[in-house]
Structures are given as structure tokens and as C-alpha cells.
Amino acid sequence: MQKIAEERIERLEALARDAVKAGEPDRAREYVRLARRLAERHRCGVPRSFERFTCERCDAFLVPGRNARVRLQEGSHVVVRCDCGETARYPYR
């Protein structure tokens, strides 16, 4: 069951990315919420790319330059800021 859930989460990530490119941010937000709920229910993690490009506060799928600002900060991390104001920091890796 967990393998099926992981495959479905990956598919929802692709659908969210396509929805944002098509100009449907609300549909992408629903895909993100569904993927997170699936991950919680089946106790499996979401892929790193999915985790890094979704907003924790508003569940938006982030596209740099469109609804997110990405900056490299001295030290060793990347700062991603969503339009809603949520900020996430990740190491360079």
C-alpha cells in the first residue's frame, strides 16, 4: 500500500506543477493538500522536491519568479519566500 501511495504522491506533484503552469493555482493547491494527506495517512514521506516547492502555510505549489522568491544567503542556505509571506530556509545540498 505504501508503494502505491508514494506513486500517487509523485503523480499529484506532477499534476500540481502542470496546474500552476496552466494558470490554475487553486487546483494546484488542492493537489498539494491531497498529497500531504496521503503521506500522513500512509506514513510515508513526500519527495524532497515536493517538500521544497510547496508552501507550508498556504499549500501553494511554488514556482520561482511567479509566486515565490528564491535567494541565496551567505552562510550556506537557500531562502524561499512565498507570496503569502511564509519563509523557508534549506541548506545548499
Side-chain angles (χ1 to χ4, degrees):
M1 277 304 251
Q2 190 169 7
K3 180 134 176 94
I4 294 170
E6 290 172 355
E7 290 173 2
R8 190 162 181 216
I9 290 169
E10 289 175 8
R11 178 69 180 139
L12 286 167
E13 177 184 8
L15 287 171
R17 185 179 298 113
D18 293 341
V20 168
K21 287 180 183 177
E24 299 175 342
D26 293 331
R27 180 172 289 183
R29 188 171 279 121
E30 286 301 315
Y31 291 143
V32 169
R33 286 184 184 136
L34 182 58
R36 285 193 176 151
R37 204 166 52 228
L38 265 171
E40 289 176 4
R41 185 180 305 137
H42 293 285
R43 296 181 182 224
C44 61
V46 293
R48 180 178 284 183
S49 60
F50 186 81
E51 186 177 320
R52 300 261 170 114
F53 288 102
T54 55
C55 179
E56 290 290 325
R57 185 191 299 172
C58 69
D59 292 327
F61 191 83
L62 302 176
V63 178
R66 183 174 288 183
N67 63 351
R69 189 175 85 184
V70 179
R71 299 286 186 259
L72 299 178
Q73 197 164 31
E74 289 193 35
S76 63
H77 59 277
V78 178
V79 179
V80 180
R81 182 177 292 251
C82 178
D83 283 346
C84 73
E86 180 72 12
T87 301
R89 290 176 177 82
Y90 305 110
Y92 278 145
R93 294 183 244 180

